[in-house]
Amino acid sequence: MKNFKIFLFSTFILLLPLSGKTDFKPLKLQIDKFQSLLSESETITKRDLKKNLKLLMNKAKSIESKLASGHINDDLKFLMNKYVYKNSDKTVKTSELIYWIEHLDEELIMFKEDMGIDG
């Protein structure tokens, strides 16, 4: 019985960094606002895109889970590089961005449901 308690305690300690309370609501609200903005037209200026991606990055930085925050910020940095810094056009098709922003929304669900990171 003593070994079983040690096993349970050890398992709990190992899983502790993966679980916990994380507030995804500010990021979720910002994602929803950005999705709404993208649905209003067929293109978005690089300036507006950069502004919105920075807002999302700031919200993602406030997530307590380093795993979730790091993963989401990496995705946002990828989008910033691809569509803002390396894009020679002045605008971006919103249809391309909608896919990526929906992916971010799905990641929040994954972190909450599959990985047990509450928010």
Side-chain angles (χ1 to χ4, degrees):
M1 188 64 160
K2 183 178 179 182
N3 288 338
F4 182 70
K5 288 181 182 179
I6 292 172
F7 172 76
L8 283 178
F9 180 74
S10 299
T11 304
F12 174 76
I13 294 299
L14 289 173
L15 293 177
L16 191 58
L18 294 177
S19 63
K21 286 281 185 196
T22 297
D23 190 8
F24 290 122
K25 287 181 184 177
L27 178 59
K28 173 67 174 138
L29 290 172
Q30 195 64 44
I31 287 172
D32 291 346
K33 287 178 186 177
F34 191 38
Q35 285 176 321
S36 176
L37 176 70
L38 292 174
S39 69
E40 292 175 2
S41 67
E42 293 183 16
T43 61
I44 185 171
T45 65
K46 283 181 14 178
R47 189 189 89 208
D48 287 342
L49 175 58
K50 183 177 181 178
K51 180 179 87 172
N52 280 281
L53 290 176
K54 284 190 174 197
L55 286 170
L56 290 170
M57 286 177 172
N58 287 333
K59 300 292 182 187
K61 286 178 187 174
S62 67
I63 294 173
E64 292 176 25
S65 167
K66 289 183 182 189
L67 175 68
S69 176
H71 189 77
I72 292 169
N73 268 307
D74 286 346
D75 287 350
L76 291 168
K77 287 176 191 174
F78 166 78
L79 294 176
M80 187 73 83
N81 283 328
K82 179 176 176 129
Y83 292 107
V84 176
Y85 299 130
K86 294 181 179 178
N87 182 9
S88 60
D89 296 330
K90 293 182 181 184
T91 61
V92 177
K93 290 182 181 180
T94 56
S95 59
E96 292 181 40
L97 295 168
I98 289 171
Y99 166 80
W100 290 106
I101 302 307
E102 286 175 355
H103 173 72
L104 289 174
D105 208 14
E106 291 167 357
E107 283 183 331
L108 293 181
I109 294 167
M110 176 195 68
F111 287 124
K112 290 168 80 173
E113 294 178 2
D114 297 342
M115 301 181 86
I117 301 172
D118 293 333

